[in-house]
Amino acid sequence: MAKLLVKLQRYFRRKPVRFFTLLALYLAAGSLVFLHSGFSGEPTVTGNQRGPGTGEGPGLPYLGVMQLSRGFKASVTMPEVGRRHGAWFKSTSKEAVERSKAGDHGGHRSRAIRSRNAREKEEDRARYLGCYVDDTRQRTLRGVSFFDYKKMTVFRCQDNCAERGYLYAGLEFGAECYCGHKIQASNASESECNMVCKGERSNICGGVNRLSIYRLELAQESARRYGSAIFRGCFHRPENISIALPVSQVMLNMSVDKCVDFCTEKEYPLSALAGTSCHCGFPTTLFTLHEREDEQLCAQKCAGEEFESCGTSEYLLVYQTQVQDNRCMDRRFLPTRAKQLVALASFPGAGNTWARHLIELATGFYTGSYYFDGSLYNKGFKGERDHWRSGRTICIKTHESGQKEIESFDSAILLIRNPYKALMAEFNRKYGGHIGFASHAHWKGKEWPEFVANYAPWWATHTLDWLRYGRKVLVVHFEDLKRDLFVQLQRMVGLLGITACEDRLLCVEGQKDGNFKRSGLRKLEYDPYTPEMRKVISGYIRTVDAALKLRNLSGVPEDYYPR
């Protein structure tokens, strides 16, 4: 055998062309066998994930923000995955097999046929109503909206709207989902809803300014409940209530759910109970919800529910309904390129993404980033894709702290957060994603002590460097932003050179959480900081506090101490 191999080796050395010819034939034969097995085998999974399109937030009373640009129509095919089904919307195994056999061959006509077939099969869960016109300034569905530029599917949109108790779910531009209790637009031709879902090529998800709308049949009962309404407090009756809260109705059998139901149907985000009168409206300068009263002043029993309070004619009990306040949701790029670069600087874990969300809602312009984070782009931060020097965004997210990087910016908003909270937030992000959590194994293992040793000094040097090298720095403490969002956001928007519209800022207060807030349900049951860690971090806090006071700024908030 060895002699035979030696002879073959000598033979091919003399005639290398024959060797490469045989090798090419061997590879070609292998490829043919592989392709044949791929086409002849049965597919084992269903659904299809697709890439992003553009989206824009809905807009009710228009506050001066222009329509977003529909600049591109991306179509990126991703690996197939099985569909997730909620408790109210389950698929039988027979349907799953039929979908898996359907494949994805043919053009738009075959996709439309399959889409119609899927709609017919799902009529017992969500009935397809048709294609409708949508207007970016006056949305057809005015409830909650969300975008997913990679994985949007019909079911995902229906599921999210149903969980929030809405009657209708609409899909637009392949990647946008809108919910609502009422359709406020006319029908369009079915041919105008011609864009496939970004996460599901077999279904249609609307078109350009066109909505594919479904009625959530099994969600109707949950839509009549007020369980997801948020209690805002007891407030004194505004002076001109007919202007402050323009819609009202007398309800002799008043209860919280009846008033919330009424305002939800009228598409208003605020429901105010005043004895036997129910008032609906938006938070405005006439009714800001900033001055809460003692709840005992509103403690008058409801006529229709003895265990509930319904307020009085002078003191209103206010709830926030499921209706989304869309006055601050439209966003766009700057109409002209900015001449100055403004940084939104922070240590990682200090709330930079949340601050970006607030700034975008308050100004109506996208924020950019020194980096590129695909997960943020896919969730609606469209400025993430732009180069940070493009000049098309209102400010630039950065965690950099070197002199050269800092001096690249003309001014900065410096966001500072309690290091104990910031370190834990960044550790969760690093090992669990933007809204996930690190596992207990990570907290208990070597990762946490190493992380604190490396990142705690950076928390201090980051602030010190920006105070030293920054040209025009506005210091905002994360804790102050949470405690007094309206005032702090006014300061931030002022530095950006934008005149803040007060009604828009009040709208932001109602939408402040955004899509990147951890649920808080998985808080650690123990303190991960050792006495040695505390001693070191307390030293850094004192250093930063002294540096702030040296520049005639207020020191760190009191809740950083005692540590």
Side-chain angles (χ1 to χ4, degrees):
M1 186 67 181
K3 290 182 179 180
L4 178 61
L5 291 174
V6 171
K7 287 181 179 180
L8 286 172
Q9 186 180 16
R10 290 174 179 173
Y11 174 77
F12 285 122
R13 279 181 181 174
R14 290 195 300 271
K15 300 181 178 180
V17 175
R18 293 186 181 181
F19 171 74
F20 287 113
T21 302
L22 287 171
L23 181 62
L25 289 171
Y26 173 77
L27 293 173
S31 299
L32 288 172
V33 171
F34 176 76
L35 290 171
H36 175 73
S37 64
F39 281 112
S40 62
E42 285 287 337
T44 57
V45 292
T46 63
N48 197 21
Q49 303 293 331
R50 297 204 64 198
T54 56
E56 42 196 288
L60 249 171
Y62 186 60
L63 297 179
V65 180
M66 291 173 57
Q67 178 180 347
L68 298 178
S69 169
R70 301 286 194 179
F72 63 92
K73 300 179 183 179
S75 177
V76 183
T77 303
M78 300 297 288
E80 295 187 346
V81 298
R83 294 178 75 183
R84 176 179 64 86
H85 296 285
W88 71 280
F89 186 20
K90 294 184 179 178
S91 171
T92 63
S93 58
K94 182 179 179 181
E95 288 170 346
V97 171
E98 287 175 357
R99 282 198 306 271
S100 69
K101 289 182 178 179
D104 188 40
H105 307 295
H108 171 70
R109 178 177 173 81
S110 63
R111 284 197 301 268
I113 292 171
R114 286 196 299 275
S115 181
R116 285 197 294 271
N117 291 339
R119 290 167 186 161
E120 290 169 4
K121 290 179 182 179
E122 293 170 356
E123 279 191 354
D124 57 331
R125 307 150 187 154
R127 182 162 55 91
Y128 178 68
L129 298 182
C131 184
Y132 286 78
V133 175
D134 194 27
D135 188 328
T136 57
R137 297 190 179 185
Q138 198 79 356
R139 287 292 180 187
T140 301
L141 296 175
R142 299 177 186 174
V144 170
S145 63
F146 76 99
F147 316 130
D148 194 323
Y149 301 154
K150 271 196 172 184
K151 301 178 181 178
M152 181 61 75
T153 65
V154 171
F155 167 73
R156 188 174 180 207
C157 179
Q158 292 173 345
D159 193 32
N160 275 274
C161 293
E163 283 179 2
R164 290 163 174 80
Y166 287 101
L167 290 176
Y168 300 101
L171 295 108
E172 181 174 340
F173 212 69
E176 305 172 6
C177 176
Y178 298 93
C179 311
H181 290 289
K182 186 187 297 183
I183 300 173
Q184 304 188 63
S186 58
N187 283 91
S189 169
E190 281 296 315
S191 62
E192 295 178 37
C193 285
N194 53 15
M195 299 187 72
V196 297
C197 304
K198 299 303 179 183
E200 185 178 41
R201 290 185 65 184
S202 60
N203 271 334
I204 298 296
C205 284
V208 178
N209 294 327
R210 295 294 182 267
L211 279 168
S212 297
I213 296 183
Y214 293 81
R215 183 180 179 90
L216 306 174
E217 298 295 335
L218 298 187
Q220 291 180 36
E221 289 306 315
S222 65
R224 309 313 302 163
R225 297 198 303 266
Y226 76 95
S228 58
I230 301 169
F231 177 67
R232 296 298 298 270
C234 178
F235 299 90
H236 194 275
R237 175 191 177 101
E239 288 185 9
N240 196 334
I241 194 167
S242 62
I243 297 176
L245 299 168
V247 175
S248 63
Q249 181 167 308
V250 174
M251 297 180 178
L252 299 179
N253 250 351
M254 174 68 83
S255 65
V256 174
D257 59 340
K258 285 180 180 177
C259 187
V260 169
D261 251 5
F262 173 72
C263 295
T264 297
E265 189 172 332
K266 295 296 182 181
E267 300 286 345
Y268 284 98
L270 291 185
S271 171
L273 294 83
T276 56
S277 296
C278 176
H279 302 276
C280 313
F282 295 91
T284 64
T285 51
L286 297 176
F287 195 51
T288 62
L289 303 184
H290 287 166
E291 298 178 4
R292 292 181 62 160
E293 303 286 352
D294 188 336
E295 289 179 26
Q296 290 300 315
L297 297 173
C298 290
Q300 177 176 299
K301 290 182 181 179
C302 295
E305 180 55 68
E306 62 175 324
F307 298 109
E308 293 178 352
S309 296
C310 279
T312 69
S313 58
E314 283 299 314
Y315 293 95
L316 311 184
L317 207 58
V318 179
Y319 287 84
Q320 184 171 322
T321 71
Q322 299 170 21
V323 176
Q324 188 172 35
D325 187 347
N326 293 325
R327 298 173 299 166
C328 58
M329 297 304 291
D330 284 343
R331 287 163 287 172
R332 62 186 175 107
F333 289 103
L334 292 173
T336 57
R337 299 198 178 262
K339 296 179 180 179
Q340 293 192 329
L341 294 175
V342 183
L344 178 60
S346 74
F347 174 77
N352 200 303
T353 301
W354 180 54
R356 289 178 68 184
H357 164 75
L358 297 175
I359 289 171
E360 289 195 1
L361 295 187
T363 64
F365 296 113
Y366 289 118
T367 59
S369 177
Y370 196 81
Y371 322 97
F372 173 73
D373 188 329
S375 66
L376 292 180
Y377 177 81
N378 292 331
K379 293 296 183 182
F381 288 94
K382 290 169 66 176
E384 193 78 13
R385 177 175 280 185
D386 271 37
H387 188 275
W388 66 279
R389 285 186 178 274
S390 70
R392 297 207 306 160
T393 53
I394 193 70
C395 64
I396 310 298
K397 164 190 173 177
T398 180
H399 298 311
E400 300 301 309
S401 56
Q403 179 179 355
K404 181 180 178 182
E405 289 77 9
I406 293 172
E407 291 178 347
S408 300
F409 295 94
D410 299 289
S411 57
I413 298 169
L414 177 59
L415 191 62
I416 304 174
R417 187 181 186 183
N418 185 324
Y420 293 94
K421 300 290 181 64
L423 289 168
M424 292 178 70
E426 175 60 11
F427 190 72
N428 276 321
R429 188 207 63 80
K430 185 175 181 180
Y431 290 100
H434 279 283
I435 56 174
F437 294 86
S439 68
H440 282 281
H442 288 126
W443 290 104
K444 290 291 189 180
K446 64 178 182 179
E447 292 91 347
W448 172 242
E450 290 178 355
F451 178 86
V452 173
N454 292 325
Y455 277 68
W458 182 18
W459 176 85
T461 58
H462 182 278
T463 300
L464 297 176
D465 283 353
W466 276 95
L467 291 175
R468 181 179 180 184
Y469 302 118
R471 298 178 187 175
K472 182 181 178 182
V473 179
L474 172 69
V475 174
V476 176
H477 293 283
F478 176 87
E479 294 75 17
D480 292 340
L481 186 59
K482 283 185 67 178
R483 189 163 38 240
D484 195 356
L485 186 142
F486 190 89
V487 171
Q488 296 300 326
L489 197 52
Q490 272 186 321
R491 295 177 63 221
M492 295 163 72
V493 170
L495 181 78
L496 298 173
I498 302 291
T499 301
C501 171
E502 287 193 34
D503 280 358
R504 192 175 182 98
L505 292 178
L506 290 169
C507 170
V508 177
E509 286 188 311
Q511 320 290 331
K512 62 183 179 182
D513 287 342
N515 296 323
F516 285 89
K517 181 180 179 182
R518 291 186 176 86
S519 66
L521 298 177
R522 286 186 53 189
K523 289 183 178 179
L524 288 177
E525 297 177 356
Y526 58 90
D527 187 346
Y529 292 100
T530 64
E532 291 76 17
M533 292 177 183
R534 288 177 176 280
K535 183 178 180 181
V536 172
I537 294 172
S538 292
Y540 295 139
I541 291 173
R542 287 191 290 271
T543 301
V544 169
D545 185 60
L548 290 170
K549 290 176 178 177
L550 190 63
R551 287 160 179 78
N552 296 320
L553 301 170
S554 61
V556 298
E558 291 182 3
D559 57 5
Y560 287 27
Y561 296 105
R563 285 291 182 179

